[in-house]
Amino acid sequence: MTFKDFNFKDTLNQAIKDAGFTEPSPVQADAIPLILEGHDLIGQAQTGTGKTAAFGLPIIQKMVGNKGVEALVIVPTRELAMQVSDELFRFGKTAKLKTATVYGGTAYNRQIDRIEQANIIVATPGRLQDLLKSKRIKINPSFVVLDEADEMLDMGFLDEIKNIFTYLPEERQTLMFSATMPKQIKILAEQILNSPKSVTITKKERTNTDITQLFYVVADYERDDALLRLIDYKNPNKCIIFCRKKKEVDRLSSYMTAQGFKVGALHGDMEQKQREHTIRSFKQGLVEIFIATDVAARGLDVNDVSHVFNYHIPFDSESYVHRIGRTGRAGNKGEAITLVSPNELRTIKRIEKDVGTIMISEVIPTRQEVQNRKDNDLLSKIINIKVSTSAKEMVKTLQHDIDIVTIAHLLATIVQEEIDVKGKDIIGLGTEEVKALIERAKNWKGGDRNGNRGRGRSRNRSRGGNRGRSGNRHSSSGGNRGSRNGGGNNRGSRNRSEG
């Protein structure tokens, strides 16, 4: 099946094509036809399965494009509101549909102005109830979506939800999506839905099969060192580290920043502007490691997150499902890695049973294994680089003064630096830069900048030369991250500003 089978209008097909969608996910394949037929719907599916498109595409297909709010989507958190609003705007852009995002912490007047211009509203319960109750807005949507219903129940929004529906028209199509169906959600569904159809993902399908789930047994005092070594070994593109408590997020964020990583943090005590800035930086790649409490487990929609790390295993199975659902999205592969102490192994077994999945036990890699992985990564990068004529000429010039092994080592270091700093390889260098590199090569004596022989550059990531029981963490820059400076040419330093 493809999206063409739904017979969407041309503007929507173009938006789907622009989004890079080809085949619908299971929840989309099951839900979209029912929604197009006009049925109310209960969709039981975990996060990361494509629910926004499952309800957004058929709703946009059925919208007539009149002035005023035609669709209302209610979500539990500000982060999810922004994510859903962005995605619906992307789907409706070619049809010139406008969206408004409504949540607490921002000015009422600005949001009211946007609502007056909008066709679709995405709102959190608290702010939406305030606007309706104070009669600052009056809306008459034909489509109402309640997304992550169980999360709203957990956050204590049930009364607000019930109150909001007293302000909505009785003639409407109502859709409810929830990862779980506790008794109170079932009762709510009976109250607000009319003869709903159901789409359910069974328990064995609740975790994404594109996600490899691993766990590592460590002592509590070893967690920081184990986390750093795993990040060095896995070399994630983007990753999220989940902590149980806000103070853990703050401490770990400071610690990782001190180690030279580009880190962003998110928890409930942060101001809204700071939260938005951090999420935007993570999406844009300015932040590569995102450390958060479970507030980010739902609603953080970033498709290129390659790894999720559970610094501590979550208390319940549902939190585990939502956390790991941040990776393996949009058809990509992902890894979910959990650190556990020996007395938490029972929790691993319980989650496996509840979720219907298998978590593979592995051992923290040794320093030599980490170094071997870095070397192999560098070799792979070098092999895949297309060598230009100018680069070949540079090697010919160098070979008269320096042996070929030294040239290879030096060029490998330079190439890695250029990739890290400028996002390009050595082939992109200008004439003056090449001349400077040749001069640098002629002055190179087979050691690093500090006179140490045998390694191009040295990177000491220890604090005061010692990290717990493990001692110094010296590692060659070749094939890994090089310097973690966000830019510039001081490649020996690993100081990086946060986010």
Side-chain angles (χ1 to χ4, degrees):
M1 172 180 280
T2 68
F3 281 99
K4 293 181 179 179
D5 296 326
F6 297 124
N7 296 317
F8 289 137
K9 49 195 174 186
D10 291 341
T11 53
L12 191 52
N13 280 326
Q14 184 59 48
I16 293 170
K17 182 180 179 181
D18 292 343
F21 293 174
T22 53
E23 297 181 0
S25 68
V27 68
Q28 292 164 359
D30 291 344
I32 288 175
L34 296 173
I35 298 172
L36 290 174
E37 291 170 6
H39 296 287
D40 284 9
L41 181 76
I42 297 176
Q44 186 173 353
Q46 78 275 17
T47 186
T49 54
K51 289 183 294 179
T52 303
F55 64 75
L57 295 175
I59 285 176
I60 292 173
Q61 170 71 14
K62 298 179 71 175
M63 289 174 65
V64 296
N66 292 338
K67 289 185 177 181
V69 175
E70 292 187 69
L72 169 66
V73 182
I74 306 172
V75 297
T77 67
R78 291 171 284 189
E79 289 72 31
L80 186 55
M82 290 185 287
Q83 301 289 350
V84 171
S85 183
D86 287 346
E87 192 161 354
L88 294 180
F89 173 78
R90 181 172 53 164
F91 294 148
K93 186 177 181 180
T94 53
K96 298 182 179 180
L97 298 176
K98 296 181 179 180
T99 61
T101 314
V102 177
Y103 49 81
T106 58
Y108 280 90
N109 290 338
R110 182 183 302 176
Q111 289 186 347
I112 292 170
D113 289 342
R114 291 178 179 173
I115 290 171
E116 292 175 350
Q117 303 296 322
N119 307 104
I120 303 171
I121 295 177
V122 183
T124 54
R127 175 55 64 91
L128 179 60
Q129 178 186 241
D130 289 346
L131 292 172
L132 292 170
K133 197 172 182 180
S134 64
K135 299 183 180 180
R136 297 187 187 189
I137 65 169
K138 185 176 181 180
I139 56 177
N140 191 35
S142 301
F143 309 96
V144 179
V145 181
L146 200 62
D147 195 14
E148 304 283 9
D150 54 347
E151 176 72 358
M152 284 188 267
L153 173 64
D154 292 342
M155 296 176 68
F157 284 135
L158 188 59
D159 290 338
E160 284 87 344
I161 295 298
K162 292 179 179 178
N163 191 32
I164 286 169
F165 273 89
T166 65
Y167 294 94
L168 302 180
E170 292 187 5
E171 292 296 324
R172 65 177 188 266
Q173 184 176 3
T174 308
L175 315 173
M176 175 189 286
F177 288 86
S178 185
T180 60
M181 294 298 295
K183 182 178 179 180
Q184 289 175 289
I185 295 299
K186 292 180 180 178
I187 294 173
L188 177 64
E190 293 174 358
Q191 295 172 344
I192 65 174
L193 275 70
N194 180 26
S195 302
K197 299 290 184 179
S198 295
V199 172
T200 303
I201 292 180
T202 62
K203 196 168 189 178
K204 290 185 179 180
E205 297 172 308
R206 284 174 58 198
T207 55
N208 190 335
T209 56
D210 287 332
I211 303 173
T212 301
Q213 301 173 58
L214 310 173
F215 73 92
Y216 296 81
V217 180
V218 297
D220 283 332
Y221 65 86
E222 295 176 320
R223 289 182 191 270
D224 286 357
D225 189 70
L227 179 64
L228 285 180
R229 199 178 300 181
L230 284 169
I231 289 175
D232 266 349
Y233 185 74
K234 299 292 184 179
N235 195 22
N237 176 42
K238 285 183 182 177
C239 70
I240 303 175
I241 302 172
F242 283 108
C243 299
R244 288 175 180 169
K245 300 176 181 179
K246 301 170 187 176
K247 64 180 182 180
E248 288 176 348
V249 170
D250 290 335
R251 185 200 65 79
L252 192 58
S253 176
S254 297
Y255 175 70
M256 296 292 287
T257 300
Q259 301 303 313
F261 292 97
K262 295 178 182 176
V263 176
L266 182 67
H267 56 66
D269 285 349
M270 296 172 62
E271 294 183 0
Q272 183 59 28
K273 286 185 178 181
Q274 188 178 4
R275 292 155 71 104
E276 293 177 6
H277 172 73
T278 302
I279 292 173
R280 186 165 56 249
S281 297
F282 187 53
K283 281 187 170 184
Q284 295 173 349
L286 302 176
V287 164
E288 62 186 357
I289 296 178
F290 198 73
I291 306 176
T293 57
D294 283 323
V295 70
R298 297 178 188 248
L300 186 64
D301 188 8
V302 182
N303 288 335
D304 55 350
V305 173
S306 60
H307 292 74
V308 165
F309 294 88
N310 292 312
Y311 186 78
H312 284 106
I313 193 168
F315 292 114
D316 59 86
S317 302
E318 293 306 319
S319 293
Y320 177 79
V321 171
H322 291 302
R323 283 184 180 189
I324 72 170
R326 299 304 99 208
T327 187
R329 301 174 72 87
N332 296 320
K333 299 292 183 180
E335 278 194 6
I337 294 171
T338 302
L339 300 179
V340 296
S341 60
N343 60 1
E344 291 174 323
L345 290 175
R346 291 183 180 178
T347 306
I348 291 288
K349 296 299 180 184
R350 175 175 56 80
I351 289 177
E352 287 181 327
K353 183 178 179 180
D354 290 347
V355 176
T357 189
I358 295 177
M359 300 167 67
I360 302 169
S361 175
E362 292 198 352
V363 179
I364 300 294
T366 64
R367 284 189 177 78
Q368 187 58 52
E369 289 171 336
V370 172
Q371 186 59 50
N372 290 343
R373 171 66 67 90
K374 294 174 184 176
D375 293 343
N376 289 336
D377 288 345
L378 176 59
L379 182 61
S380 177
K381 287 180 181 180
I382 293 173
I383 290 174
N384 291 325
I385 289 175
K386 296 180 180 179
V387 182
S388 69
T389 302
S390 62
K392 292 178 180 178
E393 290 300 321
M394 182 173 66
V395 173
K396 290 180 181 178
T397 301
L398 293 173
Q399 69 182 358
H400 298 297
D401 301 307
I402 308 175
D403 66 273
I404 192 65
V405 174
T406 301
I407 293 173
H409 177 88
L410 180 61
L411 291 183
T413 302
I414 294 170
V415 167
Q416 181 62 35
E417 289 182 355
E418 293 305 318
I419 291 172
D420 288 343
V421 178
K422 302 176 182 178
K424 64 179 182 179
D425 58 41
I426 196 168
I427 290 75
L429 297 179
T431 303
E432 294 303 318
E433 290 171 294
V434 170
K435 289 181 179 178
L437 291 175
I438 293 174
E439 189 62 31
R440 172 180 161 190
K442 291 180 177 180
N443 293 328
W444 193 71
K445 302 301 182 182
D448 68 11
R449 298 177 190 181
N450 298 318
N452 299 318
R453 300 187 61 83
R455 295 177 183 263
R457 284 173 295 144
S458 178
R459 189 177 74 187
N460 187 338
R461 286 223 325 219
S462 66
R463 294 182 297 170
N466 191 2
R467 296 192 52 222
R469 299 184 310 165
S470 304
N472 294 330
R473 279 180 59 95
H474 293 277
S475 60
S476 167
S477 64
N480 185 28
R481 300 174 178 271
S483 166
R484 289 190 174 273
N485 249 319
N489 295 319
N490 182 11
R491 307 303 296 171
S493 169
R494 278 184 52 92
N495 294 325
R496 293 199 291 188
S497 61
E498 180 176 351

